């Protein structure tokens, strides 16, 4: 097994991409993760999953060095600056966004510049196609070297002489102050696709700068605060994970980064989960990215119209692929020995009843921003709601996709209630025909059942599932989605119990304290930490909420990125990285705090304010 020191901390990585795929760049200038041509495709480089056999593309000084890293302004162009005893050099990494520049999107650009002194750099390219399963050939060509697997090719254009030895490409070059060189990894293998690297860089920077959220000092920005820059970075991460062709948003760009180092909690997150829909649309709309929100909405509405309600899956591939068969890559050791490495995700075949309520939240959210449903879309919404009315009282796998068997999860029941509640509101407010009396009766039946079986008076809180006293952070969402108001004693008790039992160090929150059928323990879930911030703010404890939020933002990586989870004891990031849902949580928490401080949102009031009947407004400090 490779020593753990061969693996940088997860939070040490930067990310670049072209809205079709992404690459993770380590502090030593090594690209350790690069699936191609799409995020869910097999990898060309995967040293993050096996330091010896995964493959990497490294450019770093030959001598000892210190590293500084930053993004170029509000862009996804990454600069890694090396400082040695003899000089300073910078590697600038990027891919041109798909369909947004005149330059080939399937080219990974690496610009090498020296700003002072002299720096000797080493190059190492070790391509391993198809997660290292394909036989790789490498041969010299006029412009560099051409590597080929069973189906894909990668052409490295290099200004320096390269050596090929035992499947690896190596080379050295020395830069003096003022020198600039370019290395291009063309992932089509086409030598005749000419490009101007400097123009590609300028246009890529211009694209991201023009797209990112910006506001003038005189603007009443709802995201105003010490977290404003973190919100913008979170927005840029979401855009990077949004597929240019479909509008689908990947949960993360990686697979099998562990929730428990050395354990088995390793999952493939390069897919889109429908449960993210409502909160994602809220975040995108309030950032002013209405086109992205609309494309995302249209994408999952098309999926829902293509399948009958009982066939709608919790997650899909970024092109709508429903077949996400889960397999294990036994030849890879996993990040720091965390095995198995998985591709695909078996949760796609689970029954998760909460997804219907989350879909209706998304429909309701976007209609408040002016998007009306057509007759065909409403017909499918009616089908979904009628289906929920028939099956709400059945067990399921729940939002957390536990693998310990179906249960009567409280949150799943609540989201079935939400599906009916939001559908009723949409029908009443619009001109859509609906069996309102039948729906209202079903909504009340679900509500009574949840209050009778989902609330434990001895615990003083809503529990994870019927018949247990285990807590679940999803209880924090009950008032946000409008099930009960924030000043209800049962909601107050739930918030207090979750803070006391699942909270860690006044910053983090665990997902739950029940058995999920898997060995090992995970870190604190970043999104749940955001949910507690939201619940505290909306229930009148705004100072505590702001303090928690500022503390949480301090755990973002130096580049402003965050994984699915954080180890409360060490601050190390855990799970796939960067995680879309974590960044959505950052955006929405800033949105709630800004709204409660009296800043105006660009559209309707956020969900928790519109539906949840919050307690009071924030008093400016």
């Amino acid at each position: 097994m490779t020593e753990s020191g061969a693996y940088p901390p997860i939070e040490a990585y930067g990310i670049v991409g072209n809205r079709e795929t992404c690459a993770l760049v380590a502090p030593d200038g090594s690209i350790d993760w690069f699936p191609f041509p799409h995020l869910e495709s097999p990898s060309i480089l995967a040293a993050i999953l096996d330091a010896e056999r995964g493959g990497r593309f490294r450019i770093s000084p030959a001598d000892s060095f210190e590293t500084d890293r930053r993004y170029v302004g509000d862009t996804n162009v990454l600069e890694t600056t090396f400082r040695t005893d003899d000089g300073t050099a910078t590697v600038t990494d990027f891919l041109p966004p798909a369909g947004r520049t005149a330059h080939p999107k399937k080219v990974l650009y690496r610009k090498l510049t020296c700003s002072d002194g002299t720096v000797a750099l080493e190059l190492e390219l070790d391509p391993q196609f198809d997660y290292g399963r394909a036989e790789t050939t490498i041969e010299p060509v006029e412009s560099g070297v051409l590597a080929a697997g069973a189906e894909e090719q990668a052409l490295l254009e290099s200004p320096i002489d390269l050596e090929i030895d035992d499947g690896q490409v190596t080379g050295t070059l020395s830069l003096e102050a003022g020198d600039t060189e370019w290395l291009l990894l063309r992932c089509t293998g086409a030598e005749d696709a000419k490009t101007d690297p400097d123009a590609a860089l300028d246009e890529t920077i211009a694209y991201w700068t023009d797209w990112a959220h910006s506001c003038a000092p005189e603007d009443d920005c709802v995201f105003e605060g010490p977290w404003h820059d973190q919100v913008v970075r979170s927005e840029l991460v979401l855009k990077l994970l949004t597929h240019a062709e479909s509008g689908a948003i990947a949960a993360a760009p990686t697979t099998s980064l562990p929730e428990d180092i050395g354990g088995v909690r390793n999952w493939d997150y390069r897919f889109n989960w429908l449960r993210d829909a409502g909160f994602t649309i809220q975040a995108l709309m309030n950032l002013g990215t209405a086109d992205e929100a609309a494309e995302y909405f249209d994408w999952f509405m098309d999926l829902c119209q293509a399948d009958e309600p009982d066939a709608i899956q919790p997650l899909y591939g970024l092109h709508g692929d429903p077949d996400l068969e889960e397999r294990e890559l036994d030849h890879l050791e996993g990040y720091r020995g965390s095995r198995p490495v998985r591709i695909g995700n078996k949760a796609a075949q689970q029954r998760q009843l909460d997804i219907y309520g989350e879909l209706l939240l998304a429909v309701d959210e976007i209609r408040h921003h002016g998007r009306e449903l057509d007759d065909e879309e409403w017909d499918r919404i009616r089908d979904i709601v009628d289906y929920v009315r028939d099956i709400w009282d059945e067990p399921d796998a729940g939002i957390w996709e536990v693998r310990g068997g179906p249960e009567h999860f409280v949150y799943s029941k609540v989201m079935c209630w939400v599906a009916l509640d939001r559908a009723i509101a949409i029908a009443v407010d619009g001109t859509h025909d609906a069996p309102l009396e039948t729906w209202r009766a079903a909504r009340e039946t679900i509500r009574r059942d949840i209050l009778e079986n989902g609330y434990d008076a001895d615990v003083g809180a809503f529990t994870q599932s019927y018949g247990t006293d285990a807590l679940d952070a999803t209880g924090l969402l009950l008032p946000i989605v409008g099930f009960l108001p924030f000043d209800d004693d049962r909601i107050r008790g739930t918030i207090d119990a979750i803070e006391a039992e699942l909270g860690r160090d006044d910053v983090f929150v665990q997902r739950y304290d029940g058995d999920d059928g898997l060995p090992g323990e995970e870190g604190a879930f970043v999104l749940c930490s955001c949910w507690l911030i939201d619940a505290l703010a909306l229930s009148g404890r705004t100072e505590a909420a702001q303090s928690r939020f500022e503390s949480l933002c301090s755990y973002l990586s130096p580049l402003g990125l965050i994984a699915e989870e954080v180890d409360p004891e060490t601050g190390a990031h855990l799970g796939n990285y960067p995680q879309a849902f974590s960044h959505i949580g950052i955006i929405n928490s800033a949105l709630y705090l800004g709204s409660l401080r009296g800043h105006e949102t660009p559209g309707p009031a956020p969900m928790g304010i519109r539906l949840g009947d919050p307690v009071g407004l924030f008093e400016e400090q």
Side-chain angles (χ1 to χ4, degrees):
M1 180 180 295
T2 305
E3 294 294 329
S4 62
Y7 294 93
I10 291 172
E11 64 271 19
Y13 281 94
I15 184 172
V16 296
N18 65 356
R19 300 188 58 227
E20 289 186 350
T21 189
C22 293
L24 293 189
V25 187
D28 67 349
S30 178
I31 296 176
D32 289 350
W33 175 247
F34 186 41
F36 182 82
H38 301 286
L39 270 188
E40 67 268 48
S41 300
S43 62
I44 298 176
L45 308 171
I48 198 170
L49 297 177
D50 193 311
E52 294 184 352
R53 294 181 292 271
R56 60 166 47 86
F57 180 15
R58 179 179 62 85
I59 301 172
S60 58
D63 301 319
S64 60
F65 58 89
E66 295 181 351
T67 304
D68 289 327
R69 315 181 78 202
R70 73 178 188 102
Y71 283 103
V72 178
D74 294 332
T75 77
N76 284 309
V77 176
L78 179 65
E79 289 184 344
T80 302
T81 298
F82 302 112
R83 290 183 171 83
T84 72
D85 291 340
D86 298 321
T88 303
T90 297
V91 179
T92 302
D93 290 310
F94 68 96
L95 291 94
R100 300 297 180 176
T101 74
H103 303 274
K105 62 186 179 182
K106 293 181 171 60
V107 178
L108 177 62
Y109 291 80
R110 312 202 75 180
K111 179 183 181 182
L112 317 180
T113 58
C114 181
S115 56
D116 65 79
T118 301
V119 180
L121 294 172
E122 296 178 334
L123 178 152
E124 174 192 358
L125 174 63
D126 177 22
Q128 297 290 335
F129 293 92
D130 191 19
Y131 307 107
R133 296 180 297 185
E135 181 178 349
T136 300
T137 61
I138 303 176
E139 60 181 7
V141 293
E142 182 178 352
S143 57
V145 296
L146 179 65
E151 297 181 3
E152 302 293 346
Q153 292 182 324
L155 171 67
L156 175 60
E157 289 186 5
S158 169
I160 61 176
D161 293 332
L162 300 173
E163 296 183 4
I164 303 171
D165 183 29
D166 195 24
Q168 291 189 342
V169 180
T170 59
T172 59
L173 73 159
S174 181
L175 296 179
E176 297 182 355
D179 287 349
T180 296
E181 298 288 357
W182 285 90
L183 296 171
L184 276 61
L185 188 65
R186 295 183 181 273
C187 298
T188 57
E191 295 185 68
D192 58 349
K194 303 300 181 184
T195 186
D196 180 345
D198 289 298
L201 175 58
D202 291 343
E203 291 182 30
T204 299
I205 291 173
Y207 166 77
W208 289 116
T209 302
D210 291 343
W211 180 86
H213 168 81
S214 61
C215 52
E218 64 272 15
D219 292 340
D220 183 28
C221 180
V222 71
F223 298 108
E224 179 183 326
W227 45 75
H228 188 277
D229 289 347
Q230 285 91 342
V231 169
V232 175
R233 178 52 52 193
S234 293
E235 175 196 34
L236 286 161
V237 170
L238 289 183
K239 182 67 169 180
L240 203 58
L241 298 180
T242 302
H243 199 282
E245 294 180 10
S246 66
I249 302 175
T254 56
T255 180
S256 298
L257 295 185
E259 300 169 11
D260 178 27
I261 300 295
V264 301
R265 295 172 179 264
N266 318 312
W267 316 107
D268 193 347
Y269 275 14
R270 296 172 294 163
F271 313 113
N272 181 268
W273 271 255
L274 296 187
R275 70 179 181 213
D276 303 356
F279 295 106
T280 301
I281 287 176
Q282 173 174 278
L284 291 173
M285 279 296 192
N286 281 282
L287 283 163
T289 53
D291 290 345
E292 285 74 14
E295 290 173 2
Y296 178 47
F297 178 82
D298 290 341
W299 178 78
F300 67 70
M301 281 301 297
D302 287 345
L303 289 176
C304 293
Q305 289 176 277
D307 289 330
E308 293 301 312
D310 63 345
I312 297 175
Q313 297 183 178
L315 61 147
Y316 291 84
L318 301 182
H319 296 85
D321 185 3
D323 183 10
L324 305 181
E325 178 187 359
E326 187 173 290
R327 289 167 287 164
E328 298 181 359
L329 302 181
D330 295 333
H331 65 288
L332 297 178
E333 77 161 3
Y335 178 85
R336 292 180 58 186
S338 304
R339 304 181 70 182
V341 172
R342 293 182 173 95
I343 55 174
N345 199 308
K346 188 162 58 176
Q349 302 306 315
Q350 285 186 343
R351 192 183 204 199
Q352 297 177 23
L353 300 184
D354 60 286
I355 63 173
Y356 302 107
E358 282 136 2
L359 286 170
L360 264 295
L361 278 180
V363 172
D364 187 51
E365 185 67 24
I366 204 163
R367 81 176 178 95
H368 275 91
H369 287 272
R371 165 67 156 81
E372 298 295 334
L373 296 174
D374 60 35
D375 291 341
E376 187 176 354
E377 290 171 334
W378 177 248
D379 287 344
R380 180 37 50 101
I381 294 299
R382 281 190 51 160
D383 291 342
I384 289 173
V385 176
D386 286 334
Y387 175 70
V388 170
R389 184 170 57 86
D390 289 337
I391 51 83
W392 69 269
D393 58 349
E394 298 177 10
D396 74 330
I399 185 176
W400 303 128
E401 302 167 351
V402 296
R403 301 198 176 191
E407 296 184 40
H408 289 280
F409 287 101
V410 172
Y411 183 71
S412 294
K413 308 294 186 192
V414 169
M415 295 312 290
C416 288
W417 178 91
V418 166
L420 284 150
D421 183 68
R422 295 296 83 212
I424 291 167
I426 294 168
V428 169
D429 292 347
T431 59
H432 302 296
D433 179 54
L436 291 177
E437 289 188 15
T438 300
W439 285 1
R440 286 177 175 136
R443 178 181 62 177
E444 181 59 24
T445 298
I446 299 172
R447 182 179 182 275
R448 288 198 305 267
D449 189 78
I450 295 169
L451 295 178
E452 180 179 348
N453 299 297
Y455 180 79
D456 189 313
D458 293 331
V459 177
F462 285 93
T463 59
Q464 182 180 55
S465 57
Y466 288 5
T468 179
D469 60 2
L471 293 174
D472 191 304
T474 53
L476 298 166
L477 295 177
L478 270 58
I480 290 176
V481 301
F483 183 72
L484 286 173
F486 279 96
D487 61 1
D488 187 286
D489 287 343
R490 291 162 293 189
I491 291 299
R492 289 186 180 276
T494 299
I495 295 172
D496 290 345
I498 289 172
E499 182 179 18
E501 298 299 324
L502 300 183
R504 301 290 184 270
D505 299 330
D506 294 329
V507 181
F508 301 110
V509 177
Q510 302 287 145
R511 287 193 292 179
Y512 44 74
D513 58 9
D515 179 29
D516 59 9
L518 291 169
E521 297 182 358
E522 61 183 19
F525 207 69
V526 173
L527 181 64
C528 297
S529 306
C530 293
W531 288 347
L532 179 56
I533 291 164
D534 303 343
L536 291 173
L538 293 165
S539 60
R541 296 169 57 184
T542 46
E543 290 187 22
Q546 177 164 323
S547 176
R548 276 185 171 271
F549 189 48
E550 291 176 352
S551 296
L552 179 63
C553 287
S554 72
Y555 284 88
L556 292 164
S557 80
L559 290 171
L561 311 177
I562 198 161
E564 179 184 26
E565 301 174 6
V566 174
D567 184 332
E569 295 184 1
T570 67
H573 290 204
L574 298 169
N576 287 302
Y577 171 91
Q579 176 81 355
F581 226 175
S582 296
H583 285 281
I584 290 167
I586 296 291
I587 295 168
N588 282 327
S589 289
L591 175 65
Y592 283 124
L593 287 170
S595 297
L596 293 173
R597 292 171 67 183
H599 297 295
E600 292 188 8
T601 58
M607 187 186 307
I609 296 176
R610 193 173 69 245
L611 302 177
D613 195 13
V615 179
L617 294 177
F618 191 90
E619 295 182 1
E620 292 286 359
Q621 302 299 308

